[in-house]
Amino acid sequence: MKREDLLHPIISGNKFRKLKYNIEAAKKQNQEVLLTFGGAFSNHIVAVAGAGETFGFETIGIIRGEELHDKISENPSLLQAQQLGMKFVFISREQYRLKDTADFIEKLRKDYGEFYLLPEGGTNALAIKGCEEIITDLDFEFTHICTSVGTGGTITGIINGSANNQKIIGFSSLKGDFLQNDIAKFANKENWSLNSDYHFGGYGKVTDELIAFINEFYQKYQIPLDPIYTGKMMFGIMNLIENNYFPSNSKIVAIHTGGIQGIAGMNKALEKKGKTKIIL
């Protein structure tokens, strides 16, 4: 396992990679504000807030769900981002669907002034460039590189940074195969596949089986896995190994993309349902 989650205590894993060149670009443009989008427990929101504090930017988070406005103290992710200096704008789910439109972005500039725009999840061309650096010369000895997939930016960078003879497997945390086209647009190789068999119900969904696996994994290896991304990936890898998916003599590296901050929020939800919580 490649512990990208240990790169930075707040700007963790793939978020560190995605933000690296965007922060450089914002500085070159003399921008003072970073504005981005995210949901209630977004790793990206916390990472951008951390980047703002670390590199001297003001940060604004456009948050999906007006009902969260008076529930910040109940939400570990939003509370941490607020403590790091992020200002929030809570909007309806209907408004949130317009976040990528020119008219909506223009209205944000009128309301909040000039800013450097970071997309939801942080994926853009500069983010992919940063994720290419996940792969180093030491990783070329592996036959298979596995990663979790959300927006597709991380796996695209890994594909671009990989050797032609390596196999890149993405484990999607979302239902469906719609990310195939998004990845193919920016990937410079065809040595990859997207596995959608281990989403456990879709984005943000978990099962008792997944939680039990994450806890057993932590007890055995002392490595925390988040329930949205890396937990599902590792479950998938182990299941494929058990079913002889990988050829003999395969050497597999799993990319730990971070996301550990989201466990606190998930545990609150599990506690409300009377379910077993994730061990930390």
Side-chain angles (χ1 to χ4, degrees):
M1 179 176 284
K2 187 161 191 173
R3 298 292 305 274
E4 290 282 294
D5 58 310
L6 301 178
L7 285 175
H8 191 279
I10 299 170
I11 317 167
S12 175
N14 61 340
K15 303 307 179 188
F16 183 93
R17 304 292 189 177
K18 287 182 174 184
L19 287 169
K20 176 181 176 180
Y21 290 109
N22 278 290
I23 293 295
E24 286 186 9
K27 287 182 176 179
K28 287 178 182 176
Q29 295 173 23
N30 294 315
Q31 298 284 0
E32 297 178 352
V33 180
L34 306 176
L35 182 143
T36 195
F37 307 89
F41 300 101
S42 169
N43 295 323
H44 174 67
I45 286 292
V46 174
V48 171
E53 184 189 58
T54 301
F55 298 106
F57 293 92
E58 294 181 33
T59 54
I60 299 173
I62 311 298
I63 308 299
R64 181 180 64 246
E66 291 173 305
E67 74 280 1
L68 297 169
H69 183 270
D70 58 354
K71 297 178 180 176
I72 295 173
S73 62
E74 302 170 24
N75 185 303
S77 300
L78 294 181
L79 184 60
Q80 183 179 9
Q82 185 183 66
Q83 290 169 343
L84 290 165
M86 180 173 276
K87 298 175 183 176
F88 298 127
V89 180
F90 296 92
I91 63 175
S92 68
R93 283 160 174 77
E94 290 74 25
Q95 286 178 297
Y96 197 82
R97 294 189 191 103
L98 303 174
K99 67 183 184 302
D100 296 323
T101 64
D103 288 346
F104 188 77
I105 300 300
E106 183 57 31
K107 184 179 185 307
L108 289 175
R109 294 196 189 280
K110 287 180 180 177
D111 290 345
Y112 304 106
E114 194 55 42
F115 53 77
Y116 184 89
L117 180 67
L118 290 161
E120 182 182 39
T123 291
N124 57 18
L126 291 176
I128 291 170
K129 178 182 177 183
C131 287
E132 290 174 7
E133 296 178 358
I134 292 173
I135 304 303
T136 66
D137 290 347
L138 294 175
D139 300 307
F140 292 143
E141 66 179 279
F142 294 96
T143 58
H144 297 77
I145 302 174
C146 299
T147 186
S148 53
V149 177
T151 57
T154 301
I155 189 173
T156 303
I158 289 171
I159 293 164
N160 293 349
S162 69
N164 290 327
N165 63 335
Q166 292 180 301
K167 304 290 185 185
I168 315 303
I169 305 173
F171 290 83
S172 180
S173 60
L174 296 80
K175 281 185 178 179
D177 296 323
F178 59 92
L179 282 171
Q180 292 271 3
N181 291 334
D182 291 343
I183 296 168
K185 284 178 190 174
F186 299 100
N188 62 14
K189 300 180 184 69
E190 297 181 0
N191 62 343
W192 60 277
S193 62
L194 194 61
N195 186 309
S196 301
D197 295 337
Y198 301 98
H199 56 68
F200 289 87
Y203 184 77
K205 305 293 185 183
V206 299
T207 65
D208 293 344
E209 183 182 27
L210 177 63
I211 300 302
F213 170 82
I214 289 171
N215 285 340
E216 288 167 11
F217 191 90
Y218 182 75
Q219 288 170 333
K220 188 172 183 179
Y221 301 109
Q222 295 298 298
I223 298 174
L225 302 173
D226 85 286
I228 309 302
Y229 296 107
T230 55
K232 295 178 179 182
M233 172 192 69
M234 284 309 305
F235 186 103
I237 292 171
M238 295 301 197
N239 189 251
L240 290 178
I241 290 172
E242 288 172 7
N243 288 286
N244 299 311
Y245 172 86
F246 297 97
S248 297
N249 301 316
S250 295
K251 295 185 71 175
I252 306 162
V253 61
I255 309 298
H256 194 314
T257 51
I260 300 305
Q261 70 81 26
I263 292 176
M266 179 61 72
N267 275 345
K268 283 204 166 191
L270 291 169
E271 188 174 24
K272 284 181 182 178
K273 296 176 182 177
K275 300 283 190 179
T276 301
K277 296 195 291 185
I278 298 167
I279 300 169
L280 261 183

